[in-house]
Amino acid sequence: MADAASSVTVHAGPLKAVVRAIIGRTGSSAREAGLVADQLVEANLTGHDSHGVGMLPRYVEVFRLGRLKVNQHVSVVLDGGALLTLDGNMGYGQVMAYEAMQLGIERAGEYGTAVVGLSNSHHIGRIGHWAEQCIAAGLISMHYVNVISQPVVAPFGGRDARFVTNPFCVGIPRPGEQPIVLDFATSRIAMGKVRVAMNKGVEVGADTLLDHDGEPTRDPRVMFERPFGAILPFGEHKGYCLAVVCELLGGALSGGRTLHQRSPGREIINNMFSILIDPQRLGTAANLSAETAEFATWVKQSPLAQGADRIKLPGEPEQDHRRERGAKGIPIDPTTWAEIVGAAGLLGLKQREVERLAGLG
Ligand code: NAD
């Protein structure tokens, strides 16, 4: 049996089998466990370990607290044709966001566009995954997301945390080319990346965190040990303003709620407001495609800044990671692996079985 405290490298297929087995132990259907496994492992494959399998222990914890409901589906609160308001019923976000986008894709097929509000879902993970679902259907999509959880991000000019890492995402398909996928947290770094830094025992960059007194620090532990500190928004006032818009569109226009008190719970509730557009139906698909190609060539011809190896479009770093990790496997740090093995154990899945599924036996 491998030492649970050693770091491991696991290929995507076996890692999905591990996730399916753990999620299956929460009573999920095979479809649900498969959707969760696909999205978490895709996050690792694209280099976003913050939103990959390291989330499993938190999901198991919230499930055991009775706050994450298994085998749920979205409920239609309002069906206005191209406009849909959906409730995620505190089910697995990987199912809720998938079903919400499937409904949106169907409606965009009918009307050329769809506006989808999804509220009250558990964590929907890496938002780019949902943009990629729309891209596969030839659709542009925009996603404004808020998070109901312990506040972790300070407003611009503030000294304590008032909201969460509110991600914003835009997907643009490019026929015959890799799509553009802009997908980031509006905080300086995603909360999961602070966790990854803490688990690796490394500091975060300067100008990223405040301690509980509102003073700058590079120690990731301030986000996990009471009294908590805060992450700064990215891009000074501009990132903060985008976070506010994500809070209001994602949290309120979707039919969900905004964060306006300290949430004591361990659950991570996501609300997402999405706009899907079929460029063919807008009559501008050929123009979009030609102009994107011209623009991409133009920006990539800029002389390289010191330390840069090439100029990338949004989505390219993820494509690079996907190639590399698809071939070499996904590295998982010792703390994260031990936590996953521990979470599996809480559900009666033995370490030996987790290692066998991971191909480490
Ligand atoms: P990040 O800082 O790594 O930024 C990622 C974005 O920047 C991508 O679009 C990427 O293609 C682009 N990018 C990165 N380097 C680039 C370069 N050199 N040139 C061009 N483009 C570049 O992302 P993040 O803020 O750490 O967010 C990580 C993930 O966390 C995202 O997938 C996000 O959706 C997710 N997230 C989810 C939640 C939630 O509650 N569900 C909350 C926050 C973040």
Short mmCIF file of all heavy atoms in Angstrom, two decimals, residues 139-200:
data_model
loop_
_atom_site.label_atom_id
_atom_site.label_comp_id
_atom_site.label_asym_id
_atom_site.label_seq_id
_atom_site.Cartn_x
_atom_site.Cartn_y
_atom_site.Cartn_z
N LEU A 139 -22.08 27.73 -29.89
CA LEU A 139 -22.63 28.94 -29.28
C LEU A 139 -21.59 29.76 -28.53
O LEU A 139 -20.70 29.19 -27.88
CB LEU A 139 -23.75 28.57 -28.29
CG LEU A 139 -24.93 27.79 -28.88
CD1 LEU A 139 -25.89 27.40 -27.76
CD2 LEU A 139 -25.65 28.61 -29.95
N ILE A 140 -21.75 31.06 -28.63
CA ILE A 140 -21.01 31.98 -27.75
C ILE A 140 -21.76 31.99 -26.42
O ILE A 140 -23.00 31.89 -26.41
CB ILE A 140 -21.01 33.38 -28.38
CG1 ILE A 140 -20.06 33.38 -29.58
CG2 ILE A 140 -20.63 34.47 -27.38
CD1 ILE A 140 -20.33 34.46 -30.55
N SER A 141 -21.03 32.10 -25.32
CA SER A 141 -21.74 32.21 -24.04
C SER A 141 -20.99 33.14 -23.09
O SER A 141 -19.77 33.29 -23.19
CB SER A 141 -21.93 30.84 -23.38
OG SER A 141 -20.69 30.27 -23.04
N MET A 142 -21.77 33.78 -22.23
CA MET A 142 -21.22 34.65 -21.19
C MET A 142 -21.83 34.21 -19.86
O MET A 142 -23.03 33.92 -19.81
CB MET A 142 -21.62 36.11 -21.44
CG MET A 142 -20.98 36.72 -22.65
SD MET A 142 -21.91 38.18 -23.14
CE MET A 142 -22.38 37.70 -24.79
N HIS A 143 -21.00 34.15 -18.84
CA HIS A 143 -21.46 33.62 -17.56
C HIS A 143 -21.01 34.54 -16.42
O HIS A 143 -19.82 34.81 -16.29
CB HIS A 143 -20.87 32.22 -17.32
CG HIS A 143 -21.08 31.29 -18.48
ND1 HIS A 143 -22.14 30.42 -18.55
CD2 HIS A 143 -20.36 31.11 -19.62
CE1 HIS A 143 -22.06 29.73 -19.69
NE2 HIS A 143 -21.00 30.14 -20.35
N TYR A 144 -21.98 34.98 -15.66
CA TYR A 144 -21.72 35.81 -14.47
C TYR A 144 -22.12 34.95 -13.26
O TYR A 144 -23.27 34.50 -13.19
CB TYR A 144 -22.58 37.07 -14.48
CG TYR A 144 -22.36 37.95 -15.70
CD1 TYR A 144 -23.00 37.67 -16.91
CD2 TYR A 144 -21.52 39.05 -15.63
CE1 TYR A 144 -22.80 38.47 -18.02
CE2 TYR A 144 -21.32 39.86 -16.73
CZ TYR A 144 -21.96 39.56 -17.93
OH TYR A 144 -21.76 40.35 -19.02
N VAL A 145 -21.18 34.77 -12.35
CA VAL A 145 -21.43 33.81 -11.27
C VAL A 145 -21.15 34.46 -9.91
O VAL A 145 -20.15 35.19 -9.77
CB VAL A 145 -20.50 32.57 -11.44
CG1 VAL A 145 -20.73 31.54 -10.35
CG2 VAL A 145 -20.73 31.93 -12.83
N ASN A 146 -22.01 34.20 -8.94
CA ASN A 146 -21.66 34.59 -7.57
C ASN A 146 -21.63 33.34 -6.69
O ASN A 146 -21.99 32.24 -7.13
CB ASN A 146 -22.57 35.67 -7.00
CG ASN A 146 -23.78 35.12 -6.29
OD1 ASN A 146 -24.36 34.11 -6.68
ND2 ASN A 146 -24.20 35.79 -5.23
N VAL A 147 -21.14 33.53 -5.50
CA VAL A 147 -20.89 32.40 -4.60
C VAL A 147 -21.44 32.76 -3.22
O VAL A 147 -21.11 33.83 -2.69
CB VAL A 147 -19.38 32.11 -4.46
CG1 VAL A 147 -19.15 30.75 -3.81
CG2 VAL A 147 -18.65 32.23 -5.78
N ILE A 148 -22.26 31.89 -2.66
CA ILE A 148 -22.73 32.08 -1.29
C ILE A 148 -21.95 31.10 -0.42
O ILE A 148 -22.13 29.88 -0.50
CB ILE A 148 -24.25 31.83 -1.17
CG1 ILE A 148 -25.03 32.76 -2.11
CG2 ILE A 148 -24.70 31.99 0.28
CD1 ILE A 148 -24.94 34.23 -1.79
N SER A 149 -21.05 31.65 0.33
CA SER A 149 -20.17 30.86 1.19
C SER A 149 -19.55 31.87 2.16
O SER A 149 -19.94 33.03 2.17
CB SER A 149 -19.11 30.19 0.30
OG SER A 149 -18.32 29.31 1.04
N GLN A 150 -18.58 31.41 2.94
CA GLN A 150 -17.87 32.36 3.81
C GLN A 150 -17.24 33.45 2.94
O GLN A 150 -16.54 33.12 1.99
CB GLN A 150 -16.78 31.58 4.55
CG GLN A 150 -16.18 32.30 5.72
CD GLN A 150 -17.20 32.57 6.83
OE1 GLN A 150 -18.03 31.73 7.12
NE2 GLN A 150 -17.13 33.74 7.41
N PRO A 151 -17.49 34.75 3.21
CA PRO A 151 -16.85 35.79 2.38
C PRO A 151 -15.33 35.68 2.45
O PRO A 151 -14.78 35.46 3.53
CB PRO A 151 -17.31 37.11 2.99
CG PRO A 151 -18.31 36.78 4.03
CD PRO A 151 -18.31 35.32 4.28
N VAL A 152 -14.66 35.84 1.31
CA VAL A 152 -13.20 35.71 1.29
C VAL A 152 -12.51 36.84 0.54
O VAL A 152 -11.29 36.95 0.56
CB VAL A 152 -12.73 34.35 0.69
CG1 VAL A 152 -13.09 33.20 1.61
CG2 VAL A 152 -13.27 34.12 -0.70
N VAL A 153 -13.29 37.71 -0.15
CA VAL A 153 -12.67 38.76 -0.96
C VAL A 153 -13.05 40.13 -0.41
O VAL A 153 -14.23 40.39 -0.11
CB VAL A 153 -13.09 38.65 -2.45
CG1 VAL A 153 -12.41 39.73 -3.28
CG2 VAL A 153 -12.75 37.26 -2.99
N ALA A 154 -12.05 41.00 -0.29
CA ALA A 154 -12.29 42.36 0.20
C ALA A 154 -12.70 43.26 -0.96
O ALA A 154 -12.18 43.12 -2.07
CB ALA A 154 -11.02 42.90 0.85
N PRO A 155 -13.63 44.21 -0.73
CA PRO A 155 -13.93 45.19 -1.78
C PRO A 155 -12.73 46.12 -1.98
O PRO A 155 -11.92 46.28 -1.07
CB PRO A 155 -15.13 45.96 -1.22
CG PRO A 155 -15.11 45.73 0.25
CD PRO A 155 -14.41 44.43 0.50
N PHE A 156 -12.63 46.73 -3.16
CA PHE A 156 -11.55 47.69 -3.40
C PHE A 156 -11.67 48.82 -2.39
O PHE A 156 -12.73 49.42 -2.23
CB PHE A 156 -11.66 48.25 -4.83
CG PHE A 156 -10.58 49.22 -5.17
CD1 PHE A 156 -9.27 48.79 -5.33
CD2 PHE A 156 -10.85 50.58 -5.30
CE1 PHE A 156 -8.26 49.67 -5.64
CE2 PHE A 156 -9.84 51.48 -5.61
CZ PHE A 156 -8.54 51.02 -5.78
N GLY A 157 -10.60 49.05 -1.66
CA GLY A 157 -10.63 50.08 -0.62
C GLY A 157 -11.02 49.54 0.74
O GLY A 157 -10.99 50.29 1.72
N GLY A 158 -11.41 48.25 0.83
CA GLY A 158 -11.82 47.68 2.12
C GLY A 158 -10.71 46.87 2.78
O GLY A 158 -9.68 46.59 2.16
N ARG A 159 -10.93 46.47 4.03
CA ARG A 159 -9.91 45.73 4.78
C ARG A 159 -10.39 44.36 5.23
O ARG A 159 -9.63 43.62 5.85
CB ARG A 159 -9.49 46.53 6.03
CG ARG A 159 -8.64 47.74 5.72
CD ARG A 159 -8.51 48.62 6.96
NE ARG A 159 -7.58 48.06 7.93
CZ ARG A 159 -6.29 48.39 8.00
NH1 ARG A 159 -5.79 49.26 7.14
NH2 ARG A 159 -5.51 47.86 8.90
N ASP A 160 -11.66 44.02 4.97
CA ASP A 160 -12.08 42.66 5.31
C ASP A 160 -12.94 42.08 4.18
O ASP A 160 -13.34 42.79 3.26
CB ASP A 160 -12.78 42.59 6.67
CG ASP A 160 -14.21 43.11 6.65
OD1 ASP A 160 -14.64 43.64 5.60
OD2 ASP A 160 -14.91 42.97 7.66
N ALA A 161 -13.19 40.77 4.26
CA ALA A 161 -13.87 40.05 3.17
C ALA A 161 -15.37 40.30 3.22
O ALA A 161 -15.99 40.23 4.29
CB ALA A 161 -13.57 38.56 3.30
N ARG A 162 -15.95 40.57 2.05
CA ARG A 162 -17.38 40.86 1.96
C ARG A 162 -18.11 40.01 0.92
O ARG A 162 -19.33 40.00 0.88
CB ARG A 162 -17.59 42.34 1.63
CG ARG A 162 -17.14 43.28 2.71
CD ARG A 162 -18.14 43.32 3.83
NE ARG A 162 -17.50 43.61 5.11
CZ ARG A 162 -18.16 43.98 6.21
NH1 ARG A 162 -19.45 44.12 6.19
NH2 ARG A 162 -17.52 44.18 7.32
N PHE A 163 -17.37 39.39 0.03
CA PHE A 163 -18.01 38.54 -0.98
C PHE A 163 -17.02 37.44 -1.35
O PHE A 163 -15.97 37.31 -0.70
CB PHE A 163 -18.49 39.35 -2.21
CG PHE A 163 -17.46 40.27 -2.78
CD1 PHE A 163 -16.62 39.85 -3.80
CD2 PHE A 163 -17.32 41.58 -2.31
CE1 PHE A 163 -15.67 40.69 -4.34
CE2 PHE A 163 -16.36 42.44 -2.84
CZ PHE A 163 -15.54 41.98 -3.86
N VAL A 164 -17.33 36.65 -2.34
CA VAL A 164 -16.47 35.51 -2.66
C VAL A 164 -15.76 35.78 -4.00
O VAL A 164 -15.63 36.95 -4.39
CB VAL A 164 -17.26 34.18 -2.58
CG1 VAL A 164 -16.34 32.96 -2.59
CG2 VAL A 164 -18.06 34.13 -1.26
N THR A 165 -15.30 34.78 -4.68
CA THR A 165 -14.36 34.98 -5.79
C THR A 165 -15.05 35.13 -7.15
O THR A 165 -14.38 35.09 -8.20
CB THR A 165 -13.37 33.81 -5.84
OG1 THR A 165 -14.11 32.59 -5.80
CG2 THR A 165 -12.41 33.84 -4.67
N ASN A 166 -16.37 35.31 -7.13
CA ASN A 166 -17.23 35.58 -8.29
C ASN A 166 -16.59 35.44 -9.67
O ASN A 166 -16.10 36.43 -10.23
CB ASN A 166 -17.81 36.99 -8.14
CG ASN A 166 -18.76 37.10 -6.97
OD1 ASN A 166 -18.98 36.12 -6.27
ND2 ASN A 166 -19.32 38.27 -6.74
N PRO A 167 -16.63 34.25 -10.27
CA PRO A 167 -15.99 34.10 -11.57
C PRO A 167 -16.80 34.68 -12.73
O PRO A 167 -18.03 34.74 -12.67
CB PRO A 167 -15.86 32.58 -11.72
CG PRO A 167 -16.91 32.01 -10.85
CD PRO A 167 -17.14 32.97 -9.73
N PHE A 168 -16.08 35.08 -13.75
CA PHE A 168 -16.67 35.59 -15.00
C PHE A 168 -16.08 34.78 -16.14
O PHE A 168 -14.88 34.46 -16.13
CB PHE A 168 -16.31 37.07 -15.16
CG PHE A 168 -16.77 37.66 -16.46
CD1 PHE A 168 -18.11 37.72 -16.78
CD2 PHE A 168 -15.85 38.16 -17.37
CE1 PHE A 168 -18.54 38.26 -17.99
CE2 PHE A 168 -16.26 38.70 -18.58
CZ PHE A 168 -17.61 38.76 -18.89
N CYS A 169 -16.91 34.45 -17.11
CA CYS A 169 -16.45 33.56 -18.18
C CYS A 169 -17.13 33.90 -19.51
O CYS A 169 -18.32 34.23 -19.53
CB CYS A 169 -16.78 32.12 -17.76
SG CYS A 169 -16.39 30.87 -18.99
N VAL A 170 -16.36 33.85 -20.58
CA VAL A 170 -16.89 34.04 -21.94
C VAL A 170 -16.29 32.96 -22.83
O VAL A 170 -15.07 32.76 -22.82
CB VAL A 170 -16.52 35.42 -22.52
CG1 VAL A 170 -17.05 35.57 -23.96
CG2 VAL A 170 -17.04 36.56 -21.66
N GLY A 171 -17.12 32.26 -23.57
CA GLY A 171 -16.64 31.26 -24.53
C GLY A 171 -16.98 31.69 -25.95
O GLY A 171 -18.10 32.14 -26.21
N ILE A 172 -16.01 31.57 -26.86
CA ILE A 172 -16.23 31.94 -28.27
C ILE A 172 -15.74 30.80 -29.15
O ILE A 172 -14.53 30.52 -29.19
CB ILE A 172 -15.45 33.24 -28.63
CG1 ILE A 172 -15.84 34.38 -27.67
CG2 ILE A 172 -15.72 33.64 -30.08
CD1 ILE A 172 -15.05 35.67 -27.89
N PRO A 173 -16.66 30.12 -29.83
CA PRO A 173 -16.21 29.02 -30.70
C PRO A 173 -15.49 29.56 -31.93
O PRO A 173 -15.79 30.66 -32.39
CB PRO A 173 -17.52 28.32 -31.10
CG PRO A 173 -18.60 29.32 -30.88
CD PRO A 173 -18.12 30.30 -29.85
N ARG A 174 -14.53 28.78 -32.42
CA ARG A 174 -13.82 29.15 -33.66
C ARG A 174 -13.80 27.90 -34.54
O ARG A 174 -12.99 27.01 -34.30
CB ARG A 174 -12.38 29.57 -33.36
CG ARG A 174 -12.26 30.83 -32.54
CD ARG A 174 -10.81 31.16 -32.29
NE ARG A 174 -10.11 31.54 -33.51
CZ ARG A 174 -8.78 31.59 -33.63
NH1 ARG A 174 -8.01 31.26 -32.60
NH2 ARG A 174 -8.22 31.94 -34.76
N PRO A 175 -14.67 27.83 -35.52
CA PRO A 175 -14.74 26.63 -36.34
C PRO A 175 -13.36 26.26 -36.90
O PRO A 175 -12.67 27.10 -37.46
CB PRO A 175 -15.71 27.02 -37.46
CG PRO A 175 -16.52 28.14 -36.89
CD PRO A 175 -15.63 28.87 -35.95
N GLY A 176 -12.94 25.02 -36.67
CA GLY A 176 -11.66 24.54 -37.18
C GLY A 176 -10.46 24.99 -36.36
O GLY A 176 -9.32 24.64 -36.67
N GLU A 177 -10.67 25.80 -35.34
CA GLU A 177 -9.57 26.30 -34.49
C GLU A 177 -9.95 26.07 -33.03
O GLU A 177 -11.10 25.84 -32.71
CB GLU A 177 -9.39 27.82 -34.68
CG GLU A 177 -9.05 28.26 -36.08
CD GLU A 177 -7.58 28.05 -36.41
OE1 GLU A 177 -6.79 27.83 -35.47
OE2 GLU A 177 -7.24 28.10 -37.61
N GLN A 178 -8.94 26.23 -32.16
CA GLN A 178 -9.24 26.14 -30.73
C GLN A 178 -10.09 27.34 -30.32
O GLN A 178 -9.84 28.45 -30.78
CB GLN A 178 -7.94 26.13 -29.92
CG GLN A 178 -7.11 24.88 -30.11
CD GLN A 178 -7.77 23.65 -29.49
OE1 GLN A 178 -8.71 23.74 -28.71
NE2 GLN A 178 -7.28 22.49 -29.87
N PRO A 179 -11.09 27.14 -29.46
CA PRO A 179 -11.96 28.26 -29.06
C PRO A 179 -11.24 29.25 -28.15
O PRO A 179 -10.19 28.94 -27.59
CB PRO A 179 -13.09 27.56 -28.30
CG PRO A 179 -12.47 26.30 -27.78
CD PRO A 179 -11.45 25.88 -28.80
N ILE A 180 -11.85 30.40 -27.99
CA ILE A 180 -11.41 31.37 -26.99
C ILE A 180 -12.22 31.08 -25.72
O ILE A 180 -13.46 31.01 -25.79
CB ILE A 180 -11.74 32.81 -27.44
CG1 ILE A 180 -11.23 33.11 -28.86
CG2 ILE A 180 -11.30 33.84 -26.40
CD1 ILE A 180 -9.81 33.48 -28.99
N VAL A 181 -11.53 30.90 -24.61
CA VAL A 181 -12.25 30.71 -23.34
C VAL A 181 -11.62 31.61 -22.28
O VAL A 181 -10.52 31.34 -21.81
CB VAL A 181 -12.25 29.24 -22.86
CG1 VAL A 181 -13.07 29.12 -21.56
CG2 VAL A 181 -12.81 28.31 -23.92
N LEU A 182 -12.31 32.69 -21.99
CA LEU A 182 -11.90 33.57 -20.89
C LEU A 182 -12.62 33.05 -19.65
O LEU A 182 -13.84 32.90 -19.69
CB LEU A 182 -12.33 35.00 -21.22
CG LEU A 182 -12.15 36.12 -20.21
CD1 LEU A 182 -12.30 37.45 -20.93
CD2 LEU A 182 -13.13 36.06 -19.06
N ASP A 183 -11.92 32.77 -18.61
CA ASP A 183 -12.56 32.16 -17.43
C ASP A 183 -11.71 32.41 -16.21
O ASP A 183 -10.66 31.79 -16.05
CB ASP A 183 -12.71 30.65 -17.67
CG ASP A 183 -13.17 29.91 -16.42
OD1 ASP A 183 -13.87 30.52 -15.60
OD2 ASP A 183 -12.83 28.72 -16.28
N PHE A 184 -12.13 33.36 -15.38
CA PHE A 184 -11.32 33.62 -14.18
C PHE A 184 -12.16 34.08 -13.01
O PHE A 184 -13.27 34.58 -13.17
CB PHE A 184 -10.20 34.63 -14.46
CG PHE A 184 -10.61 35.91 -15.15
CD1 PHE A 184 -11.55 36.76 -14.59
CD2 PHE A 184 -10.04 36.26 -16.36
CE1 PHE A 184 -11.89 37.95 -15.22
CE2 PHE A 184 -10.38 37.44 -17.01
CZ PHE A 184 -11.32 38.28 -16.43
N ALA A 185 -11.58 33.92 -11.83
CA ALA A 185 -12.14 34.49 -10.62
C ALA A 185 -11.86 35.99 -10.66
O ALA A 185 -10.87 36.43 -11.25
CB ALA A 185 -11.46 33.87 -9.39
N THR A 186 -12.74 36.79 -10.03
CA THR A 186 -12.50 38.23 -10.01
C THR A 186 -11.64 38.63 -8.80
O THR A 186 -11.41 39.80 -8.57
CB THR A 186 -13.83 39.01 -10.01
OG1 THR A 186 -14.69 38.44 -9.01
CG2 THR A 186 -14.50 38.93 -11.36
N SER A 187 -11.18 37.64 -8.06
CA SER A 187 -10.21 37.90 -7.00
C SER A 187 -8.80 37.77 -7.59
O SER A 187 -8.64 37.21 -8.68
CB SER A 187 -10.37 36.88 -5.87
OG SER A 187 -10.39 35.57 -6.41
N ARG A 188 -7.81 38.28 -6.89
CA ARG A 188 -6.43 38.23 -7.39
C ARG A 188 -6.04 36.79 -7.73
O ARG A 188 -5.42 36.54 -8.74
CB ARG A 188 -5.50 38.84 -6.34
CG ARG A 188 -4.13 39.18 -6.80
CD ARG A 188 -4.10 40.32 -7.81
NE ARG A 188 -4.58 41.58 -7.27
CZ ARG A 188 -3.79 42.59 -6.90
NH1 ARG A 188 -2.50 42.50 -7.02
NH2 ARG A 188 -4.31 43.70 -6.45
N ILE A 189 -6.40 35.85 -6.85
CA ILE A 189 -6.30 34.43 -7.20
C ILE A 189 -7.55 33.72 -6.68
O ILE A 189 -8.23 34.23 -5.79
CB ILE A 189 -5.02 33.72 -6.67
CG1 ILE A 189 -4.92 33.80 -5.15
CG2 ILE A 189 -3.76 34.26 -7.32
CD1 ILE A 189 -3.74 33.00 -4.60
N ALA A 190 -7.84 32.56 -7.30
CA ALA A 190 -9.01 31.78 -6.86
C ALA A 190 -8.72 31.25 -5.45
O ALA A 190 -7.57 30.96 -5.11
CB ALA A 190 -9.28 30.63 -7.82
N MET A 191 -9.79 31.10 -4.65
CA MET A 191 -9.64 30.59 -3.28
C MET A 191 -8.98 29.20 -3.30
O MET A 191 -8.13 28.90 -2.46
CB MET A 191 -11.04 30.51 -2.64
CG MET A 191 -11.04 30.09 -1.20
SD MET A 191 -10.15 31.23 -0.12
CE MET A 191 -10.30 30.34 1.42
N GLY A 192 -9.36 28.39 -4.27
CA GLY A 192 -8.76 27.05 -4.37
C GLY A 192 -7.25 27.12 -4.58
O GLY A 192 -6.52 26.21 -4.18
N LYS A 193 -6.79 28.20 -5.22
CA LYS A 193 -5.34 28.32 -5.43
C LYS A 193 -4.63 28.71 -4.14
O LYS A 193 -3.46 28.38 -3.95
CB LYS A 193 -5.05 29.29 -6.57
CG LYS A 193 -5.40 28.62 -7.89
CD LYS A 193 -5.08 29.38 -9.13
CE LYS A 193 -5.46 28.50 -10.32
NZ LYS A 193 -5.77 29.21 -11.53
N VAL A 194 -5.35 29.40 -3.26
CA VAL A 194 -4.78 29.67 -1.93
C VAL A 194 -4.66 28.33 -1.17
O VAL A 194 -3.65 28.06 -0.52
CB VAL A 194 -5.64 30.68 -1.13
CG1 VAL A 194 -4.95 31.07 0.17
CG2 VAL A 194 -5.97 31.91 -1.95
N ARG A 195 -5.70 27.48 -1.30
CA ARG A 195 -5.65 26.15 -0.67
C ARG A 195 -4.50 25.32 -1.23
O ARG A 195 -3.76 24.69 -0.48
CB ARG A 195 -6.99 25.42 -0.89
CG ARG A 195 -6.97 23.96 -0.46
CD ARG A 195 -8.35 23.29 -0.55
NE ARG A 195 -9.04 23.46 -1.81
CZ ARG A 195 -8.75 22.79 -2.94
NH1 ARG A 195 -7.77 21.92 -2.96
NH2 ARG A 195 -9.44 23.02 -4.03
N VAL A 196 -4.34 25.35 -2.56
CA VAL A 196 -3.26 24.58 -3.19
C VAL A 196 -1.91 25.08 -2.65
O VAL A 196 -1.04 24.27 -2.30
CB VAL A 196 -3.33 24.70 -4.73
CG1 VAL A 196 -2.09 24.12 -5.39
CG2 VAL A 196 -4.59 23.98 -5.26
N ALA A 197 -1.75 26.41 -2.54
CA ALA A 197 -0.48 26.96 -2.02
C ALA A 197 -0.26 26.50 -0.58
O ALA A 197 0.85 26.09 -0.20
CB ALA A 197 -0.50 28.49 -2.10
N MET A 198 -1.34 26.53 0.23
CA MET A 198 -1.20 26.11 1.63
C MET A 198 -0.82 24.63 1.69
O MET A 198 0.09 24.24 2.43
CB MET A 198 -2.49 26.36 2.40
CG MET A 198 -2.33 26.06 3.89
SD MET A 198 -3.83 26.35 4.81
CE MET A 198 -4.81 24.95 4.28
N ASN A 199 -1.51 23.81 0.89
CA ASN A 199 -1.21 22.37 0.90
C ASN A 199 0.21 22.09 0.45
O ASN A 199 0.82 21.11 0.88
CB ASN A 199 -2.22 21.61 0.02
CG ASN A 199 -3.59 21.50 0.69
OD1 ASN A 199 -3.74 21.89 1.84
ND2 ASN A 199 -4.55 20.99 -0.03
N LYS A 200 0.74 22.93 -0.43
CA LYS A 200 2.12 22.73 -0.89
C LYS A 200 3.13 23.39 0.05
O LYS A 200 4.34 23.26 -0.14
CB LYS A 200 2.30 23.35 -2.28
CG LYS A 200 1.64 22.55 -3.39
CD LYS A 200 1.95 23.20 -4.74
CE LYS A 200 1.35 22.40 -5.87
NZ LYS A 200 1.35 23.15 -7.13
#
